[in-house]
Amino acid sequence: MFEVRPRDLIWLYIFLLYIPVCLLAYKWLSPSLSPASKRLTIGMLAAQVLVIVLSLAIRPTSLFQEWLWKLGAEWNVPSALASAQLALVAFIALFTAWLTRTIPAWQRLYLLGLGLVFLFLGLDEFFDFRTSIVNLRLHYMIIGAAMVLATVIVAIRSPRRSWIWQICLLLGLSIVAIGGLLFDVTSDFCGTIGFLRPSGGCLEPDYFEESLEILGVWLALIALLCQFSRIVPRPQPPVHLALYVAPALWILLLARASPVPNIPYQKLGYGIQPALVRFESEEYLYGYHIERKDEALGLQLYSYPWGSIDNELGYSIHLVDQTSGGSAASRDNLLKRDRSFQLFGDNFVRVYAQEIEIEFPPEAPVNRALWVMLTLWRGRDNEYARQKVLSSDLPLLGDSQIILGELVLPSDSAAPPTLPLAVFDSGVFLHAVSMPEHAITGKTLDITFSWGSDESGDEDLVQFLHFGREETGEWFVHDQQPLGPRLPTRLWYAGLADSETWQVRLPGDLAPGQYSVFTGLYRASDQERVPARQADGTPWLDSRVPLGSITIE
């Protein structure tokens, strides 16, 4: 087993696969291209390969370098070049369908559809529609399958001399699809590849996906240029000029266009929660998105300055224990102004996107409710002044802390193997109860409840504890959350197994005697009891679970 650096694996991939495929494809198809088309394909590929090599050889260390050559990012030079190549493929397909009248109408319709699809892909490559379109990857799969099927049908009905460009187009689409598949498979890949094993890090899928996408679209470009040269063998000089001007104009339009235009004023995109929080610095929080990962929490914040831009503002994200108030994890960042959305509506707003990721430390508490807390501060001369919140539609903790959400870090504890005492309709199990046989009035009674759940919670439940003497009708009632305030049932998760010891203070005037003890759950929202059953499915009467009896002295 040979150990190599992940970067060396990418270099190996480029030299053993990428460059040979480019050379073979060009040698195979160049006789069908006009001189202008040859120069265009070589120039387009050379510019993008240069970006790939720069990004691999000189890792970006600043925002400016990321704008110049970082792969996998949006709204920068690499994404603009990739978008221009996609738009050029679309332009050639549309131009061919418009210029010629020698091919059947169904084939012109095919070129029209092909051009519109590549035009959309070019826009998405730069603007990144993933936040505003649900299941975009599934849509891509459907569109790709439709393009392949349509190309195969056109090839079957076309002369054999045109098969060369159709095969090249299918090959290009396949390579783009492979790039997307590799991105899904290798997102966190740190294992071996045959006899090669990456050491000192994991593979970076951006290089594979972006470079394969560039190669696949470049093959599609050659394919469409071959078709164009066959249908329009002697184009006029203005047509040649248009081939060069089209990508340049496209890049200029991208530079002038606003990222993600025409999005409603009230919504940034799918999955983003709207907000309207005003700070004393006249910075506004417009929206946010929280994404839970295995070992980290990812957040996107969208804010805008009402007046002039304050470059000394920063923000902090804390995971705060709801019961103790302690911070379990935190991350601080300066507000960045390098990524912005232009929104239109009743008012004109430029919203700046902020991204932050908080890793869960090994010592972070499990099975405890944590708030995701946001604070804004101004840093000046090594002093950091929190910015007060003047108005907010989100809950606050104090005058400067905004609650964006809440979460719980799950425990690895396993549920007991015994049958539960009670099964509730909400997916909650009462596994066991431990209580003494005797208690003293006026003293504290300790009772331990072991709980489990096989569903994610979505509402607050309250547990009741009833002590009753049937001969006198005397009752004592105590209610609280099953696991206390540290973990409300709305945050319970599938696989939860935990216990809580209640400390119940018995009234001093409670009459001595034998008391029957019952427990159960009710919804905090409507005070309705949650139906309870025995382990064999038999319902408990009145949704009360009998726990036995206790002698109070």
Side-chain angles (χ1 to χ4, degrees), residues 13 16 39 54 60 78 90 108 123 142 202 208 222 259 281 312 343 355 472 513:
Y13 143 77
L16 295 185
R39 290 191 294 269
L54 278 175
R108 291 168 60 194
L123 291 170
I142 295 173
C202 301
F208 292 98
I222 294 181
S281 60
E312 296 179 329
L343 303 182
E355 293 187 359
T472 63

Side-chain angles (χ1 to χ4, degrees), residues 276-548:
L276 189 56
V277 181
R278 177 190 172 197
F279 295 90
E280 62 177 332
S281 60
E282 293 302 319
E283 188 81 17
Y284 283 75
L285 177 68
Y286 189 83
Y288 63 97
H289 175 66
I290 301 177
E291 181 182 1
R292 175 69 178 271
K293 304 176 183 179
D294 290 338
E295 301 296 335
L297 187 72
L299 290 94
Q300 293 86 42
L301 304 175
Y302 302 89
S303 65
Y304 63 90
W306 189 254
S308 59
I309 293 178
D310 189 343
N311 291 318
E312 296 179 329
L313 289 177
Y315 62 97
S316 300
I317 300 293
H318 285 263
L319 301 183
V320 178
D321 192 310
Q322 294 186 14
T323 53
S324 68
S327 178
S330 64
R331 185 76 182 273
D332 305 320
N333 267 357
L334 284 171
L335 281 176
K336 296 180 181 179
R337 310 295 186 179
D338 59 320
R339 294 184 60 185
S340 65
F341 294 87
Q342 194 100 344
L343 303 182
F344 295 89
D346 298 333
N347 298 293
F348 170 83
V349 180
R350 178 173 290 276
V351 178
Y352 293 89
Q354 319 290 330
E355 293 187 359
I356 191 169
E357 186 172 281
I358 304 177
E359 294 185 357
F360 302 134
E363 66 276 8
V366 296
N367 284 358
R368 298 190 71 89
L370 303 175
W371 277 316
V372 182
M373 195 76 65
L374 166 68
T375 57
L376 188 73
W377 43 264
R378 177 181 282 116
R380 186 178 296 169
D381 299 329
N382 293 325
E383 294 184 0
Y384 301 91
R386 285 186 178 181
Q387 301 298 294
K388 291 184 179 180
V389 177
L390 301 183
S391 62
S392 173
D393 59 350
L394 298 176
L396 300 179
L397 189 66
D399 60 359
S400 61
Q401 296 174 303
I402 303 166
I403 300 175
L404 298 180
E406 58 183 356
L407 58 88
V408 60
L409 302 181
S411 170
D412 296 331
S413 300
T418 57
L419 292 176
L421 294 177
V423 180
F424 295 87
D425 281 0
S426 54
V428 172
F429 300 87
L430 178 59
H431 286 294
V433 177
S434 175
M435 66 178 184
E437 297 179 355
H438 298 271
I440 301 175
T441 58
K443 300 295 184 179
T444 299
L445 170 65
D446 292 344
I447 303 180
T448 300
F449 297 94
S450 296
W451 291 95
S453 178
D454 60 1
E455 296 180 12
S456 297
D458 58 359
E459 59 182 344
D460 285 323
L461 303 178
V462 181
Q463 182 183 356
F464 61 82
L465 191 60
H466 292 175
F467 299 82
R469 296 181 65 190
E470 297 182 0
E471 61 273 18
T472 63
E474 186 176 4
W475 289 90
F476 167 62
V477 177
H478 180 83
D479 295 357
Q480 71 173 57
Q481 294 169 308
L483 293 179
R486 67 178 175 91
L487 188 58
T489 55
R490 66 179 180 273
L491 294 178
W492 287 17
Y493 52 88
L496 169 75
D498 203 345
S499 61
E500 181 76 7
T501 298
W502 289 24
Q503 293 183 329
V504 182
R505 184 77 175 183
L506 298 177
D509 57 354
L510 188 63
Q514 191 82 7
Y515 285 79
S516 299
V517 185
F518 302 86
T519 192
L521 299 173
Y522 65 86
R523 298 181 181 87
S525 58
D526 56 12
Q527 308 295 307
E528 291 291 330
R529 289 184 182 177
V530 180
R533 305 181 307 276
Q534 301 180 41
D536 61 3
T538 304
W540 286 114
L541 183 63
D542 294 331
S543 296
R544 295 193 310 171
V545 182
L547 303 181

